[in-house]
Amino acid sequence: MKTIFTLLAILLSFYGYSQTFPNKEWTVNPNTSDIGWDPIKMKHFNDFIVDSTKVTGLMIIQKGEIVYQYGNLEQLSRVASCRKSILSMLFGKYVEDGTIKLNETIGDLKIDDIGGILPIEKKATVQDLLSARSAVFKNTNITVPNANLPQRGSHEPGSYWLYNNWDFDTYGTIFELKTKKNIYDEVESQLAIPINFQDWNRGAQHKVANPSSNSPMYHMWLSTRDFARIGYLMLNRGNWNGKQLISKYWVDEMLKERTNYKEVNDHVDYFKGSQLDIGYGYSWWLVQNTEDYRFKNAFFAAGSWGNGIVVYPNIDTVLAFVTCELYERINSSDIRQKIRYKAADIFNPEWDKQYVTTNNNAAITLTEIQKKEYLGRYQLAKRPPVTIKNTVQGIFVELPNGRNQELIPIKGDKFILKDQYIAGNIPKTIQFVRDEKGNVNELVLLVDANKELKFKKIL
């Protein structure tokens, strides 16, 4: 029976009085329904990930423990544009000690590129680059048509937001220019070692030359479970088990609104019409304009194919998911947004008040002869059949995927699925139907008040 949540318990959950940090391995919480995760929605989420996405690894972490995991969590994968958010984290140390000056311009830094930089563009600052507001509309995204870019020199730096790889790759070049450090060595020293990456491989990291720019792409290869550690560090505002690895000041600066969701929607179609409105900070996406407490103050890193780190501070939760590029499978932007939404939507501390359990239904007793009348295979149209079988534990329906669900006889030829939680007080029932001779020839599954499925007996 699920533990009843008091207001105090919810507040303690939200504000971190029992924070756990992983050591070499993540801990799995075996009782997720007891801490507010709806088991019905969890199943639906799992079905969605398996049936509707190409995701190869996914974890949901709450208060430092795994509440859901799927796929290969150890496999290294190129995490696409999530690299930009990770590099933004590494800037903090050097901004605060004065090594990198955010108000320094690319003109000051003598940044040049193939085809040249216009005089107006040279006024773009490091801060503009981190915010995707440089107004250097030079196309280095091979898959983005030039028609989607404003004309070069048409806007002042800082005045126009555009998600364009030129900004991100250029601030990678500036990071190494100013710090005299390699980006991957900094990932290792600032993140991989102190937060105990499980699968870090320095040798797997390498830059990729861009034929249209002097600045290479600093791609990163990470595992799902190490992705989750980065998200958990961000959830804790740069603190890892008592040690401040990234200052709270810099975390707050990264997550400060630099571009409102309205401007984002005006300039890209990516988030239009989705469940969440999204703004932009220093290379982190910001959830905005929501009244749902689970999504308030949420933020995320996003990469093509289907890679992401999502942090939901109000529910102390991190989502990490990866889609390995080796399989050449892509999740659409709509699917990626649904993953971000559906993961947090599972959490509801009062989920059990919305469901009624069937466990207490009074069962009737059937003789062995009566049980045999129902046994056999039943088919809906041309779909794979289901099987009704009798075991020492009782009567079960076996689904095509091999899963078994016990049936409880409650009245006449009517049965109920055992141990289900049902919304709206309408349980899923099975009604067997007899022909004129009294033989069972049909199975009717009541899905809800307005829908039923009829299966014909075939054996």
Side-chain angles (χ1 to χ4, degrees):
M1 188 66 180
K2 178 182 176 295
T3 303
I4 298 174
F5 263 66
T6 64
L7 177 60
L8 177 60
I10 295 172
L11 290 173
L12 290 176
S13 172
F14 286 173
Y15 293 103
Y17 284 95
S18 58
Q19 197 69 284
T20 300
F21 285 84
N23 292 313
K24 291 183 178 180
E25 300 283 346
W26 287 96
T27 301
V28 177
N29 189 316
N31 303 306
T32 57
S33 61
D34 289 347
I35 59 171
W37 294 88
D38 184 330
I40 307 302
K41 285 189 175 181
M42 186 74 83
K43 179 187 180 302
H44 292 166
F45 180 76
N46 182 76
D47 292 344
F48 169 72
I49 295 299
V50 173
D51 298 335
S52 301
T53 80
K54 306 297 190 301
V55 166
T56 53
L58 187 147
M59 298 172 73
I60 301 177
I61 307 294
Q62 187 180 48
K63 300 187 74 61
E65 295 183 328
I66 298 172
V67 296
Y68 174 84
Q69 57 185 321
Y70 165 81
N72 188 337
L73 308 179
E74 304 171 23
Q75 184 179 36
L76 295 182
S77 180
R78 190 169 73 180
V79 296
S81 290
C82 296
R83 65 190 174 100
K84 304 161 187 175
S85 306
I86 295 171
L87 180 53
S88 177
M89 298 169 70
L90 307 182
F91 264 79
K93 170 183 176 180
Y94 296 105
V95 170
E96 292 185 80
D97 70 11
T99 300
I100 296 175
K101 296 178 174 59
L102 294 180
N103 62 355
E104 203 163 11
T105 68
I106 60 176
D108 297 334
L109 295 165
K110 296 181 170 37
I111 297 295
D112 201 359
D113 210 338
I114 297 171
I117 300 295
L118 299 177
I120 189 175
E121 294 172 336
K122 291 182 179 181
K123 295 191 289 183
T125 64
V126 176
Q127 182 177 45
D128 293 331
L129 297 172
L130 283 166
S131 310
R133 303 188 69 89
S134 75
V136 180
F137 304 127
K138 178 177 172 57
N139 192 354
T140 57
N141 299 37
I142 298 172
T143 60
V144 177
N146 283 316
N148 288 5
L149 295 173
Q151 184 177 352
R152 295 277 299 271
S154 60
H155 291 79
E156 285 283 338
S159 69
Y160 191 98
W161 180 87
L162 185 72
Y163 190 80
N164 182 18
N165 273 357
W166 192 88
D167 287 26
F168 309 118
D169 293 335
T170 301
Y171 74 59
T173 295
I174 292 172
F175 179 87
E176 293 193 335
L177 174 70
K178 297 294 290 184
T179 65
K180 306 295 190 292
K181 302 286 182 66
N182 179 280
I183 288 173
Y184 303 123
D185 290 342
E186 286 296 290
V187 172
E188 183 168 88
S189 63
Q190 290 197 48
L191 297 175
I193 293 174
I195 67 175
N196 302 316
F197 276 12
Q198 294 172 261
D199 307 298
W200 172 248
N201 183 343
R202 176 62 180 85
Q205 317 301 320
H206 61 271
K207 301 183 181 75
V208 176
N210 193 320
S212 58
S213 174
N214 291 337
S215 294
M217 296 173 281
Y218 46 92
H219 288 303
M220 298 179 187
W221 282 260
L222 299 169
S223 68
T224 307
R225 57 189 186 176
D226 289 342
F227 232 25
R229 288 175 184 259
I230 294 172
Y232 201 57
L233 178 65
M234 288 294 290
L235 172 67
N236 288 282
R237 295 182 68 199
N239 187 286
W240 191 266
N241 203 20
K243 186 174 182 180
Q244 199 69 41
L245 303 178
I246 299 172
S247 75
K248 293 179 180 179
Y249 162 79
W250 184 247
V251 173
D252 291 344
E253 285 296 297
M254 285 190 288
L255 303 180
K256 187 179 295 183
E257 179 191 294
R258 310 294 168 174
T259 301
N260 185 270
Y261 74 92
K262 294 179 181 178
E263 186 177 358
V264 170
N265 286 341
D266 284 343
H267 296 174
V268 295
D269 295 329
Y270 189 89
F271 296 113
K272 285 182 180 178
S274 67
Q275 296 105 322
L276 301 170
D277 287 321
I278 309 299
Y280 206 66
Y282 282 164
S283 302
W284 285 86
W285 301 92
L286 315 175
V287 176
Q288 299 183 323
N289 192 38
T290 180
E291 295 303 317
D292 190 326
Y293 76 94
R294 295 170 299 185
F295 299 99
K296 278 185 177 294
N297 305 312
F299 56 93
F300 60 91
S304 58
W305 303 309
N307 299 284
I309 302 170
V310 191
V311 180
Y312 312 90
N314 282 15
I315 57 173
D316 219 354
T317 296
V318 171
L319 165 69
F321 60 98
V322 163
T323 303
C324 185
E325 85 285 357
L326 295 177
Y327 307 113
E328 298 183 346
R329 297 179 298 186
I330 297 175
N331 294 284
S332 68
S333 58
D334 177 61
I335 289 293
R336 288 175 246 160
Q337 187 73 324
K338 285 180 178 178
I339 293 171
R340 290 186 281 264
Y341 181 85
K342 288 177 178 290
D345 191 51
I346 305 169
F347 184 73
N348 178 9
E350 298 187 343
W351 66 265
D352 60 337
K353 295 181 180 179
Q354 300 170 9
Y355 296 90
V356 178
T357 179
T358 63
N359 296 357
N360 298 323
N361 278 269
I364 61 174
T365 302
L366 300 178
T367 67
E368 291 302 311
I369 293 175
Q370 288 175 313
K371 291 178 183 179
K372 287 181 180 179
E373 295 185 85
Y374 304 110
L375 307 184
R377 301 171 74 207
Y378 296 78
Q379 188 171 33
L380 173 65
K382 295 183 179 180
R383 298 180 184 179
V386 300
T387 302
I388 305 298
K389 60 184 184 180
N390 189 22
T391 73
V392 292
Q393 288 85 19
I395 296 180
F396 284 79
V397 55
E398 181 181 356
L399 303 177
N401 62 7
R403 182 181 174 189
N404 295 291
Q405 181 76 55
E406 186 175 357
L407 299 180
I408 306 298
I410 57 174
K411 182 179 181 182
D413 293 322
K414 189 174 184 179
F415 291 69
I416 194 166
L417 296 171
K418 186 182 179 183
D419 295 335
Q420 62 171 306
Y421 284 92
I422 35 90
N425 204 24
I426 303 174
K428 289 183 175 64
T429 60
I430 286 180
Q431 176 75 51
F432 290 94
V433 180
R434 298 177 183 268
D435 61 19
E436 294 177 353
K437 296 181 180 180
N439 298 317
V440 174
N441 69 343
E442 192 175 61
L443 177 162
V444 179
L445 172 64
L446 178 64
V447 178
D448 56 40
N450 302 308
K451 184 178 180 181
E452 61 181 26
L453 302 176
K454 295 182 178 181
F455 296 71
K456 293 291 184 181
K457 191 172 186 179
I458 59 175
L459 184 65

